[in-house]
Amino acid sequence: MTRKQVSVSCPMDCYDLCRFTATVENNRIVNLKADKNHPVTKGFSCKKGSQLVERMNHPHRIRSPLIKKEGEFVNIGYDEVLGIIADRLVSIKNRYGPEAVLNYSGDGYGGVKNRIQTIFFNCFGGASSGEGSLCWGAGMAAQQYDFGSVKGHFPDDVLNAKTVLVWGRNPKFTNLHLYRLLLQAEASGSSIIVIDPLETETAKAFGRHIRPRPSTDGALALAMANWIIENNCHNRPFVEKHVVGFHRFKEYASAFTPARAEEITGVPGDTIRKLARQYAEAAPGCIYIGYGLQRYRNGGNTIRCIDALGAITGNIGRKGGGVNYAAKSLAAYLSGVEQESRTHAEKRRTFLLGRLGEFLQGTDDPPVKAVFVAGSNPLTQSPDLENTVESFKQVDFKVVFDHFLTDTARQADIVLPAASVFEQDDLFVTSMYSPVLNVSQKAVEPPPGVMPEFDVYLALARRVGGLDMGFSTSGEYLRKSAQPLLDRLGVDFESLASGYPRIEQDAIAWQEGRFETPSGKIELYSERAGEDGLSFLPSFLEPESGTTKLPLRLLTCHTLESMHSQGFAFNGDLPMVYINSKTAGQFGVDEQRTVLVRGEKQAITARLTIDDAVCDTTALIYQGWWHASGAVNFLTEPRISDMGGQAAYYDSFCAIEKTV
């Protein structure tokens, strides 16, 4: 019997990026535990991570290439299927150009190797590829205008804060290690205040919860800023040295009195004054922003308004401070190979990720003749699913990599089995929260019929005319990808696996007081934003509203149970729709009955739960459900945020109808 222990990263698109210690006997994982020495994981992980071995060994996992014949999938060998794919790619490129191929590569698997599909198509001469975001783009663009880049403090720094605003974030469900730190901070005397229209599990866990109406957070932040400035609680020396546009911002924010903000947000004016005072005076104060509050048409400006609070109080660049939205410390050091490959993409066409269906349906110069999907399930996760699914079906040739027959894979002509994280070496970083590089070691061999995606594209590169992607093996690619980070850290490749590499100088974002904006300062007044057709200042844009026919705003938040659509794969239950008792009375519906939830184009069947944690005129359905259960994105519309090309999921509206 052979026995070994290896370190394996969680591959999911998550804030925390856990790492595990896997015990392996005879090519089988017999034990998986969270790495107790990891500076973020600290010996515990969530349910989603603990299920990774079960997913790898699941009987429904795809273990051989599949090709659709007469509407049914049948097994096919790699030699034959790669020949088919290569021939189609060359034929399409010769007739239509490389832009006729759509490259859809997501972050369902978060390792550096997930970039191989994009690198391949760049070297192929280009492709059609997505821009913007389904996840976080509006907030990323906002902080780039304000600070020049998007940086966050190392996790443990929250323990240095006296006041913590958890704004539109539910770490008990989505960021478990931050949640544990918040409990520790509160026990040490920090004040934790949750700002969220929903009474989330995080809100229930702490003493103070402030509930603005959805899409009104910008007005709340501006009213706080106004009170802080009017009462001389702002940090004058910091503002004079590090902030551009303060006086213009002051003039704009002056219209947002606590009384006016109360009318907009529903938060009492006195509560706004107390919140502003505490954040300004009980310093240092930090803010943790979630991704939900930027999933509106006004989402980017909302983040800019919140950023302004950190700027005027001097809570930027200091211990226990920060406006933490994301944390791009390491990722840029690992993207060099992909960036280099773009020099080969002579013909490149882009589309907004939130409007995939519209692009497939409307583009004809050239038309999309092939789609390649990896690390993603766009036929559950895209808005406007009815149009997106029908448009996807019409594409002549569709290739999907996945572990299971997802809703996207079922529409493919060829499905190639994806390798598990346990079946390959890789490097993992996240730009969301964790500042640590996870070296992930191969634990077991993949099943005999599974070729990792990386090896598939190496083989395809040879078959389509000997493409040179700049590397010939997996190991060479990982070393080449890691080299800029190795140079930054002053270490060699072999030493990465023995520690927890991170850039210690990034522990406190912007601590040197130099920002990556054109002025080198925080730009409350951003010329770049103005040049891009946006407001120069952080602004409040009036929220979208429902109609008589569709009066309920639909929130499609992340659940504790799954990461996007990866956790409901084998659950045929109906989704649950949550409304409060007041809304239930208005629609005349009862607890736990089956209802129709109707959007602009379609309806889905759901089980009703009455929960006063949900705010008025709002319905909540957790996202991730597959079509067989009731995919919530059949109800969402392809609306886009004010900046960053973000899908404005939360500006979709619905109604509840009784079933017969």
Side-chain angles (χ1 to χ4, degrees):
M1 177 182 295
T2 60
R3 183 182 180 94
K4 64 178 181 180
Q5 286 191 329
V6 297
S7 294
V8 180
S9 179
C10 182
M12 288 186 282
D13 186 21
C14 175
Y15 282 109
D16 296 43
L17 195 68
C18 292
R19 194 164 87 159
F20 305 98
T21 300
T23 303
V24 183
E25 291 182 358
N26 297 327
N27 203 46
R28 186 171 66 90
I29 296 174
V30 296
N31 187 268
L32 187 71
K33 291 184 177 180
D35 184 346
K36 65 181 180 180
N37 297 314
H38 193 278
V40 175
T41 303
K42 295 183 178 179
F44 69 95
S45 64
C46 73
K47 177 181 178 181
K48 297 183 285 286
S50 65
Q51 293 175 334
L52 288 169
V53 175
E54 177 186 348
R55 287 178 60 82
M56 178 181 67
N57 295 326
H58 198 282
H60 291 171
R61 182 185 173 189
I62 301 167
R63 289 177 168 81
S64 170
L66 303 173
I67 190 168
K68 190 173 286 181
K69 292 186 177 181
E70 298 180 356
E72 300 291 334
F73 284 115
V74 296
N75 291 335
I76 185 173
Y78 273 103
D79 187 62
E80 184 178 359
V81 79
L82 291 176
I84 293 170
I85 294 171
D87 288 346
R88 290 296 291 268
L89 282 174
V90 171
S91 175
I92 290 169
K93 180 180 180 180
N94 289 341
R95 183 173 179 183
Y96 299 99
E99 318 98 291
V101 180
L102 191 149
N103 162 33
Y104 198 109
S105 182
D107 292 318
Y109 172 88
V112 171
K113 285 184 178 177
N114 78 345
R115 295 174 179 157
I116 185 60
Q117 180 165 292
T118 296
I119 293 169
F120 171 86
F121 281 112
N122 283 342
C123 294
F124 186 65
S128 293
S129 56
E131 64 179 3
S133 174
L134 296 182
C135 185
W136 63 351
M140 297 294 281
Q143 292 211 326
Q144 285 162 359
Y145 288 132
D146 293 337
F147 306 123
S149 184
V150 186
K151 298 182 179 182
H153 292 221
F154 281 14
D156 286 355
D157 184 61
V158 72
L159 301 177
N160 294 316
K162 292 183 179 179
T163 301
V164 184
L165 306 186
V166 182
W167 206 318
R169 190 158 170 160
N170 185 13
K172 192 171 183 180
F173 274 21
T174 63
N175 192 182
L176 187 59
H177 297 86
L178 172 60
Y179 176 69
R180 296 281 290 263
L181 286 170
L182 291 173
L183 293 174
Q184 186 178 342
E186 184 181 55
S188 299
S190 300
S191 178
I192 314 297
I193 303 168
V194 178
I195 305 172
D196 201 302
L198 304 175
E199 188 183 15
T200 64
E201 292 303 311
T202 301
K204 293 175 183 176
F206 297 101
R208 291 181 65 187
H209 177 207
I210 294 169
R211 301 183 71 169
R213 297 184 182 111
S215 193
T216 67
D217 303 81
L220 174 59
L222 287 168
M224 291 172 62
N226 179 30
W227 188 94
I228 289 168
I229 295 168
E230 288 298 310
N231 288 274
N232 292 313
C233 292
H234 57 294
N235 188 325
R236 288 177 179 271
F238 183 88
V239 167
E240 290 171 0
K241 184 176 182 181
H242 294 296
V243 177
V244 170
F246 172 75
H247 293 290
R248 287 187 174 106
F249 174 74
K250 174 185 176 181
E251 181 179 358
Y252 177 77
S254 66
F256 290 85
T257 63
R260 182 188 175 197
E262 179 175 348
E263 294 176 358
I264 297 170
T265 67
V267 178
D270 190 52
T271 299
I272 296 172
R273 286 186 281 269
K274 289 178 179 177
L275 176 63
R277 179 187 292 277
Q278 170 147 5
Y279 177 67
E281 296 184 351
C286 74
I287 303 175
Y288 276 89
I289 309 176
Y291 297 154
L293 55 73
Q294 50 92 64
R295 289 178 178 151
Y296 302 90
R297 280 183 169 172
N298 63 8
N301 268 289
T302 293
I303 302 298
R304 290 201 68 198
C305 291
I306 297 172
D307 287 347
L309 289 172
I312 65 173
T313 57
N315 275 306
I316 305 296
R318 65 183 300 190
K319 286 185 177 181
V323 181
N324 298 278
Y325 177 77
K328 300 188 76 170
S329 178
L330 295 176
Y333 291 95
L334 296 168
S335 62
V337 179
E338 180 186 344
Q339 295 292 331
E340 182 181 328
S341 73
R342 290 187 181 182
T343 62
H344 302 287
E346 297 177 357
K347 295 184 177 181
R348 187 169 178 265
R349 180 171 60 179
T350 60
F351 65 93
L352 284 174
L353 285 166
R355 290 181 172 161
L356 172 62
E358 291 182 11
F359 176 74
L360 290 173
Q361 185 179 60
T363 187
D364 58 5
D365 187 24
V368 174
K369 306 300 291 184
V371 177
F372 283 69
V373 179
S376 188
N377 188 10
L379 298 195
T380 65
Q381 296 305 107
S382 297
D384 189 24
L385 269 188
E386 180 180 31
N387 182 39
T388 304
V389 171
E390 289 306 311
S391 300
F392 190 91
K393 287 180 179 178
Q394 301 309 312
V395 178
D396 291 347
F397 187 62
K398 303 173 286 291
V399 178
V400 174
F401 293 83
D402 215 302
H403 296 113
F404 303 102
L405 280 177
T406 64
D407 292 313
T408 305
R410 290 179 189 279
Q411 299 301 330
D413 299 290
I414 290 172
V415 179
L416 297 175
S420 164
V421 66
F422 300 108
E423 296 164 353
Q424 55 191 329
D425 294 322
D426 211 340
L427 303 174
F428 289 79
V429 297
T430 176
S431 297
M432 298 165 71
Y433 176 71
S434 173
V436 181
L437 172 73
N438 280 358
V439 176
S440 189
Q441 300 168 314
K442 183 177 180 179
V444 297
E445 294 296 326
V450 175
M451 179 187 294
E453 299 93 305
F454 193 91
D455 296 330
V456 168
Y457 278 108
L458 285 176
L460 276 177
R462 294 189 293 268
R463 287 176 178 256
V464 298
L467 295 186
D468 181 7
M469 295 191 289
F471 47 84
S472 57
T473 66
S474 166
E476 183 183 2
Y477 169 74
L478 292 179
R479 286 175 177 270
K480 189 171 183 178
S481 296
Q483 193 58 53
L485 181 59
L486 298 175
D487 294 342
R488 178 68 173 82
L489 296 173
V491 299
D492 58 30
F493 188 82
E494 285 69 25
S495 68
L496 290 178
S498 62
Y500 305 99
R502 53 186 174 177
I503 300 173
E504 296 296 341
Q505 294 87 338
D506 290 348
I508 308 299
W510 311 114
Q511 62 182 327
E512 295 179 354
R514 294 195 298 270
F515 299 88
E516 296 174 24
T517 56
S519 66
K521 299 181 179 183
I522 301 171
E523 296 191 351
L524 295 185
Y525 185 88
S526 170
E527 294 281 357
R528 288 196 301 182
E531 291 168 1
D532 290 340
L534 304 169
S535 62
F536 293 90
L537 292 166
S539 302
F540 174 65
L541 309 180
E542 290 291 336
E544 301 290 321
S545 58
T547 63
T548 302
K549 182 181 177 182
L550 301 173
L552 301 181
R553 184 182 295 278
L554 177 63
L555 301 183
T556 53
C557 303
H558 288 195
T559 175
L560 177 66
E561 301 298 322
S562 70
M563 180 56 61
H564 303 300
S565 66
Q566 291 180 328
F568 294 133
F570 316 106
N571 185 343
D573 292 345
L574 291 176
M576 194 82 74
V577 57
Y578 300 85
I579 58 177
N580 69 21
S581 53
K582 179 180 177 181
T583 303
Q586 292 170 344
F587 283 89
V589 289
D590 303 317
E591 176 88 342
Q592 292 296 329
R593 72 173 294 157
T594 300
V595 297
L596 284 180
V597 185
R598 186 168 299 281
E600 291 190 21
K601 296 178 180 176
Q602 276 206 6
I604 64 171
T605 302
R607 288 183 295 128
L608 179 72
T609 291
I610 298 173
D611 187 347
D612 287 331
V614 180
C615 48
D616 292 344
T617 66
T618 300
L620 165 66
I621 303 177
Y622 289 113
Q623 59 111 324
W625 296 92
W626 289 23
H627 295 189
S629 297
V632 71
N633 283 312
F634 280 113
L635 307 177
T636 58
E637 291 298 309
R639 299 186 173 105
I640 302 297
S641 64
D642 48 359
M643 60 187 74
Q646 169 67 47
Y649 287 105
Y650 293 1
D651 277 337
S652 297
F653 296 87
C654 67
I656 306 293
E657 298 179 4
K658 295 180 181 179
T659 56
V660 178

